[in-house]
Amino acid sequence: MNFIDMLRARWRTADSLLCVGLDPDPARFPAAFRDDGEALFAFCRDIADATAEYACAFKPQIAYFAAHDGGESALQRLLAHLKAAHPDVPVILDAKRGDIGSTAEQYAVEAFDRFGADAVTLNPYMGRDSAEPFLRRADRGCVFLCHTSNPGARDFQELDVGGEPLYQRIARTIAGEWNAAGNCALVVGATFPEELKVIRGLVGDMPLLIPGVGAQGGDALAVVRNGATADGTGLVVNSSRGILYASSGEDYAEAAARAARELRDLLRRARD
Amino acid sequence: MNFIDMLRARWRTADSLLCVGLDPDPARFPAAFRDDGEALFAFCRDIADATAEYACAFKPQIAYFAAHDGGESALQRLLAHLKAAHPDVPVILDAKRGDIGSTAEQYAVEAFDRFGADAVTLNPYMGRDSAEPFLRRADRGCVFLCHTSNPGARDFQELDVGGEPLYQRIARTIAGEWNAAGNCALVVGATFPEELKVIRGLVGDMPLLIPGVGAQGGDALAVVRNGATADGTGLVVNSSRGILYASSGEDYAEAAARAARELRDLLRRARD
């Protein structure tokens, strides 16, 4: 099953718009993991197992693995575990890759073959041919940055290009030209709910990955009101720190499950 | 010594504008490496050792390592070798990273601490705060994408934003606002020599990393005429495939050295 169908199926069966972000920062791990050589893997596994029933997707952030020796092995083990234990939950590798075609081919191998992700986040700045090696993998998802959640999103993404801001031009280009295989999605920050509304109007029912709820200050209710499709889906609302570090005590997994369930429920209520 | 000073010193002492790109593709390795479990490292080491005297910089492309299990170990060994054997040649890790601040911190650790690169390539699309964790490392170089070498560079980078193309706005923003520590450089593709001329006019003597000579069709003479600073430096002209795969026979290292010397000499003549 391809990524988009897998996501649609999961929205239905789990009745959840919540994506659990896996950004493991050893400095914030519970004490039990402090001297654990496999902590990157083991902590993320515990969080994923505790939260899977509330999640429409998992999103490991590769930077938090790549900062450590052996991080890639931990990420591989984590993906293998997620696929074995939670095969219905699609995994989006957050990597924001983007390079010329021959190099992009290598990055597609990294994300889809080496790590086995169902989808990967990509930076569109280098244009169509930099996206092709990913777009060609019709069974996998290509999640392009559109309007990001950080303050610097205003620096270039909002510049006016012929009567519309750059992020809207990018949304239209991806929806109209790059999405021939139907495997595209966009990143739109929860911190910009008005922009989210405009983007939803431009891209039909294309899935939108929404970072920025929680630690970054985004409003979950506004996200659902402005971003959901008519059937109440279309959104992958990510929370990382608010779930991962809900407790720094021995109850970290239970606290993560509680935080995930609460955010799932909040997103459900916002839709109703 | 910081990256920019290291580069300036190397331009003088080696009298070279050539950057040797290390993009190891096992499918193109000489037969001797086919069954070598350490081929990624060993091939790049041999190429680097054969070409160092002609190079102002080395540029390993992380995607070619990340596509393979154990690739990061090979890259670490390679950087350790480059630093030990060729300490005067700065190493630019080509990674095109870019993410929100807390994630960018992790990527800065990856590039500068884990791999020990002197500089890293970065994607500016997410704006100022996504660049800060790199900019703060004043001893290291931040090489931002401006106008890339691929055909898709025209898709978004050339869009008009208030009377100038986006890539020029980005060049001016980085030169005028992001370069407080003096550690910035820009990527400008050799395939767009007129755009290179304009960018040089906008950024003073900021170093420019120039991919796209050779396999991608860029004209080395036009690059030097349009991009060099008044003192005949300012450029880091990259060649990867034309050097790495100059011969697929046993003479791969000698052929690489010859290709590197010829391109160095061509760049010298273009300047004179």
Side-chain angles (χ1 to χ4, degrees):
Chain A
M1 195 187 299
N2 69 45
F3 167 70
I4 303 287
D5 287 342
M6 195 177 173
L7 184 58
R8 294 214 163 103
R10 185 69 190 169
W11 278 326
R12 277 195 307 274
T13 57
D15 189 16
S16 172
L17 302 176
L18 172 69
C19 176
V20 174
L22 300 167
D23 303 12
D25 179 355
R28 302 186 67 177
F29 284 177
F33 291 98
R34 288 280 155 75
D35 297 312
D36 181 345
E38 304 196 331
L40 282 182
F41 164 70
F43 177 72
C44 290
R45 176 202 58 205
D46 290 357
I47 296 289
D49 290 350
T51 59
E53 67 177 292
Y54 312 116
C56 72
F58 290 119
K59 184 176 74 64
Q61 167 52 263
I62 195 169
Y64 283 81
F65 295 86
H68 304 279
D69 286 343
E72 290 76 18
S73 300
L75 183 57
Q76 281 180 307
R77 285 184 67 194
L78 178 62
L79 269 282
H81 173 78
L82 296 178
K83 288 290 141 200
H86 314 291
D88 297 335
V89 186
V91 179
I92 303 165
L93 184 66
D94 199 351
K96 301 188 175 67
R97 300 302 194 232
D99 213 306
I100 63 169
S102 50
T103 302
E105 295 276 5
Q106 303 294 319
Y107 278 132
V109 170
E110 177 196 32
F112 297 146
D113 302 323
R114 184 180 181 202
F115 293 117
D118 299 298
V120 65
T121 59
L122 299 168
N123 189 313
Y125 184 69
M126 292 182 67
R128 173 71 177 256
D129 62 301
S130 74
E132 277 297 342
F134 300 94
L135 294 172
R136 268 200 296 273
R137 300 287 292 266
D139 59 328
R140 309 298 173 108
C142 302
V143 188
F144 292 97
L145 298 182
C146 179
H147 193 300
T148 57
S149 59
N150 59 316
R154 297 209 184 279
D155 292 349
F156 304 124
Q157 297 166 26
E158 296 189 358
L159 289 175
D160 183 89
V161 293
E164 67 186 339
L166 175 59
Y167 74 89
Q168 291 181 24
R169 174 69 66 93
I170 287 177
R172 287 197 304 109
T173 301
I174 291 170
E177 300 173 22
W178 295 13
N179 196 29
N183 59 340
C184 292
L186 298 177
V187 173
V188 184
T191 42
F192 295 91
E194 293 306 314
E195 289 78 357
L196 170 59
K197 192 171 187 175
V198 176
I199 292 167
R200 173 54 74 203
L202 292 173
V203 301
D205 65 352
M206 181 177 284
L208 303 179
L209 171 62
I210 315 285
V213 163
Q216 295 182 62
D219 173 354
L221 297 179
V223 163
V224 175
R225 287 197 200 104
N226 290 0
T229 51
D231 68 350
T233 68
L235 296 175
V236 181
V237 183
N238 186 73
S239 175
S240 299
R241 286 169 274 184
I243 292 173
L244 293 172
Y245 310 114
S247 164
S248 57
E250 287 178 18
D251 63 338
Y252 65 94
E254 293 84 348
R258 197 163 48 240
R261 193 184 60 238
E262 287 173 3
L263 185 48
R264 179 205 61 179
D265 291 345
L266 181 67
L267 294 165
R268 276 186 184 171
R269 284 197 302 274
R271 191 190 53 192
D272 298 332
Chain B
M1 196 187 299
N2 69 44
F3 167 70
I4 303 288
D5 287 343
M6 193 178 174
L7 184 59
R8 294 214 163 101
R10 185 69 191 170
W11 277 327
R12 279 196 305 275
T13 56
D15 190 16
S16 172
L17 302 177
L18 174 67
C19 176
V20 174
L22 300 168
D23 303 11
D25 180 356
R28 301 186 69 178
F29 283 177
F33 291 98
R34 289 279 154 77
D35 297 313
D36 181 347
E38 304 196 331
L40 283 182
F41 164 70
F43 177 71
C44 290
R45 175 201 59 204
D46 290 358
I47 296 289
D49 290 348
T51 60
E53 68 178 292
Y54 311 117
C56 71
F58 290 119
K59 184 177 74 63
Q61 167 52 261
I62 196 169
Y64 283 83
F65 295 86
H68 304 279
D69 285 344
E72 290 77 18
S73 300
L75 183 58
Q76 281 181 306
R77 287 184 66 193
L78 178 62
L79 268 284
H81 173 79
L82 296 177
K83 289 289 143 202
H86 314 290
D88 298 335
V89 186
V91 179
I92 303 164
L93 184 65
D94 199 351
K96 301 187 176 69
R97 299 304 193 232
D99 213 305
I100 63 168
S102 51
T103 303
E105 296 276 5
Q106 303 293 318
Y107 279 132
V109 170
E110 177 195 32
F112 298 146
D113 302 322
R114 183 179 180 201
F115 292 118
D118 299 298
V120 65
T121 59
L122 299 169
N123 189 313
Y125 183 70
M126 292 182 66
R128 173 71 178 257
D129 62 299
S130 75
E132 277 297 340
F134 300 94
L135 294 171
R136 268 201 296 272
R137 300 287 292 264
D139 59 328
R140 310 297 171 107
C142 302
V143 188
F144 292 97
L145 298 182
C146 179
H147 193 300
T148 57
S149 60
N150 58 317
R154 296 208 185 280
D155 293 348
F156 303 123
Q157 297 166 27
E158 296 189 358
L159 290 175
D160 183 88
V161 294
E164 68 187 338
L166 176 59
Y167 73 89
Q168 290 181 25
R169 173 70 65 95
I170 287 177
R172 287 196 303 110
T173 301
I174 291 170
E177 300 173 24
W178 295 13
N179 196 29
N183 59 341
C184 293
L186 298 177
V187 173
V188 185
T191 41
F192 294 90
E194 292 307 316
E195 288 78 358
L196 171 59
K197 192 171 188 172
V198 175
I199 292 167
R200 174 53 73 205
L202 293 173
V203 301
D205 64 353
M206 181 178 283
L208 302 178
L209 171 62
I210 315 284
V213 163
Q216 295 182 61
D219 173 352
L221 297 178
V223 163
V224 175
R225 288 198 199 102
N226 291 0
T229 50
D231 67 351
T233 68
L235 297 174
V236 180
V237 183
N238 186 73
S239 175
S240 299
R241 287 169 274 186
I243 291 173
L244 294 172
Y245 310 114
S247 164
S248 58
E250 288 178 17
D251 63 337
Y252 65 95
E254 295 84 347
R258 197 162 49 240
R261 193 182 62 238
E262 287 173 4
L263 185 49
R264 178 204 62 179
D265 291 345
L266 181 68
L267 294 166
R268 278 186 183 169
R269 284 196 302 275
R271 190 189 54 191
D272 297 334

